[in-house]
Amino acid sequence: MEQGKQLVINIEGFGIDYITPPVPPLKEIEGYGLKPENQKWVRPILPDDDQIQKYTQEEKRALIEREFRRRLFGFWFMKYDKKTGVSSPTYLTGSCYFYLTHWFIAAVTPDGYPEYRSAVKEWFYVLDICHKDTCCFGAIMGCQKRFGKTECILADEYNHATLTKTDSLFGMNSISSTEARNNLFKSRVMRSHKRIQNYLKPVSNETKSKKEVTSELTFKGESLGDGKYKRALNNVIDHRPTLVSAYQGKRPAYIFFDEPGSVEEISLIDWWTTVKQQLALGPTIFGKCFLPTTLESMNPKGAPEFKEIWDKSDITKRSKNNRTESGLY
């Protein structure tokens, strides 16, 4: 594979190819030079908060910078294909790397972290396409059970909330307010957040709190007293009641609606109409929204409205301003 060449990856059924960053020098790609059977994804084992204390400041700084850059710019590794007998550079987006490396999901794996799947890698390609496309509000997505869509989107949202964006709101809704609070936020976001080493994540309201964080995770930085804080991201990850007006007037940077094809409490079309207005200012789109649903679980109320938005999200049918009718892909 030629150094500096960008790979063009066809995503089956999507309609937009994913273009990777330039291929780095082979010697810089993880796994290069290993035996073919060892050229595969291997989750990096990082020191915990106690072990990092034995590192020098230079070693600690280098490790933090390495992980930050991988989460921001992505990660290359060599992957051997048994069918073709060929090893080739494989690219993971920053959020996919974060998901596989840092996002604990209590999976049925030796360490509880996600296993590598090509389908998940391409799912993150789609997310990355939507994030970078200035004419796109996000994506409406369907998949089968046990795909791991909820954890993928939560990991992508958390990764964006803890990197370079500042003074922003990252929210989530679900089929019910209880689901958003207990399943998405408490059982998944906070579980995974607590597993990430403290030296690799921003200071938050959970860092020194003795109380359970149940409503929002804030990254305000260490308190200096008198209502002052050290300079920080000042981002918030929260969940809201399942209402059409849940995020009205909030200008969120990212909204995740879990299982929209199964919602019964509200009109999904009315919800999206309202949320869409919060994600743009005039022609400028500044926020993204992702609506993944499990196809087998859709119900008679949610399914028709989900399908209507789906049909209006056809990327082959875009207006003169290069947007689909729904704004989503």
Side-chain angles (χ1 to χ4, degrees):
M1 182 59 64
E2 183 180 350
Q3 176 187 338
K5 182 178 180 180
Q6 292 179 286
L7 307 185
V8 179
I9 300 169
N10 175 259
I11 302 171
E12 184 179 358
F14 185 51
I16 300 178
D17 291 336
Y18 185 74
I19 302 175
T20 71
V23 177
L26 290 180
K27 64 181 181 179
E28 295 180 7
I29 298 177
E30 194 75 15
Y32 177 72
L34 298 180
K35 294 180 179 180
E37 60 268 26
N38 294 328
Q39 292 182 329
K40 58 185 177 181
W41 164 256
V42 178
R43 177 176 171 264
I45 304 301
L46 302 169
D48 61 28
D49 287 315
D50 290 329
Q51 293 169 335
I52 199 68
Q53 300 305 318
K54 299 178 182 178
Y55 283 48
T56 66
Q57 285 300 313
E58 291 74 16
E59 291 172 332
K60 181 179 179 181
R61 188 180 302 112
L63 179 60
I64 292 172
E65 182 178 344
R66 187 197 77 179
E67 290 304 299
F68 185 90
R69 292 183 63 84
R70 289 179 176 183
R71 291 174 55 192
L72 189 61
F73 300 116
F75 177 76
W76 289 90
F77 71 99
M78 296 299 295
K79 186 175 184 300
Y80 175 67
D81 189 328
K82 293 182 180 179
K83 292 182 179 180
T84 63
V86 175
S87 296
S88 56
T90 299
Y91 177 73
L92 303 178
T93 68
S95 284
C96 188
Y97 174 83
F98 174 75
Y99 170 70
L100 293 172
T101 303
H102 298 282
W103 199 250
F104 181 81
I105 64 172
V108 186
T109 58
D111 58 8
Y113 287 84
E115 62 182 0
Y116 172 84
R117 298 178 186 174
S118 293
V120 169
K121 174 191 68 178
E122 293 194 359
W123 184 274
F124 278 99
Y125 286 164
V126 171
L127 296 179
D128 203 34
I129 287 171
C130 294
H131 280 299
K132 293 175 179 176
D133 192 328
T134 58
C135 296
C136 174
F137 281 90
I140 182 168
M141 318 163 89
C143 68
Q144 76 278 18
K145 290 181 179 179
R146 310 307 301 169
F147 181 80
K149 60 162 179 63
T150 300
E151 297 291 359
C152 288
I153 303 295
L154 288 174
D156 181 63
E157 183 168 22
Y158 185 99
N159 193 45
H160 279 81
T162 54
L163 283 177
T164 60
K165 283 187 177 291
T166 59
D167 303 299
S168 297
L169 173 63
F170 296 77
M172 60 191 74
N173 277 150
S174 188
I175 53 176
S176 71
S177 303
T178 300
E179 274 291 299
R181 179 179 185 271
N182 294 339
N183 182 31
L184 296 184
F185 190 83
K186 290 177 61 178
S187 296
R188 297 175 186 261
V189 171
M190 293 308 301
R191 172 200 61 197
S192 301
H193 165 79
K194 291 177 181 179
R195 287 279 186 142
I196 300 171
Q197 294 90 329
N198 286 321
Y199 67 88
L200 290 174
K201 62 188 177 187
V203 172
S204 71
N205 59 325
E206 182 272 335
T207 303
K208 296 182 179 180
S209 175
K210 295 182 180 180
K211 297 181 179 179
E212 182 183 20
V213 176
T214 61
S215 59
E216 63 179 32
L217 183 60
T218 62
F219 299 99
K220 289 185 176 180
E222 184 180 351
S223 175
L224 299 175
D226 297 325
K228 297 179 180 179
Y229 294 84
K230 284 186 177 179
R231 185 179 178 186
L233 295 174
N234 200 32
N235 290 335
V236 176
I237 301 176
D238 77 358
H239 61 88
R240 297 286 172 99
T242 308
L243 300 171
V244 168
S245 60
Y247 286 96
Q248 190 167 1
K250 301 301 180 183
R251 296 188 64 184
Y254 193 123
I255 296 293
F256 166 36
F257 196 128
D258 194 35
E259 301 293 359
S262 301
V263 68
E264 294 184 337
E265 296 184 8
I266 59 173
S267 162
L268 182 63
I269 292 174
D270 289 346
W271 180 89
W272 172 236
T273 300
T274 301
V275 168
K276 183 179 178 181
Q277 295 173 349
Q278 317 310 310
L279 301 175
L281 186 61
T284 304
I285 297 173
F286 56 78
K288 302 292 179 175
C289 181
F290 296 97
L291 297 90
T293 206
T294 305
L295 299 177
E296 303 98 310
S297 301
M298 293 197 295
N299 60 32
K301 179 174 174 57
E305 295 201 357
F306 180 87
K307 185 177 184 302
E308 181 175 334
I309 298 175
W310 176 281
D311 290 340
K312 292 179 179 179
S313 304
D314 187 344
I315 58 177
T316 66
K317 301 175 182 178
R318 286 183 267 191
S319 64
K320 291 182 180 179
N321 63 6
N322 210 30
R323 294 184 186 177
T324 64
E325 185 175 353
S326 72
L328 300 167
Y329 289 165

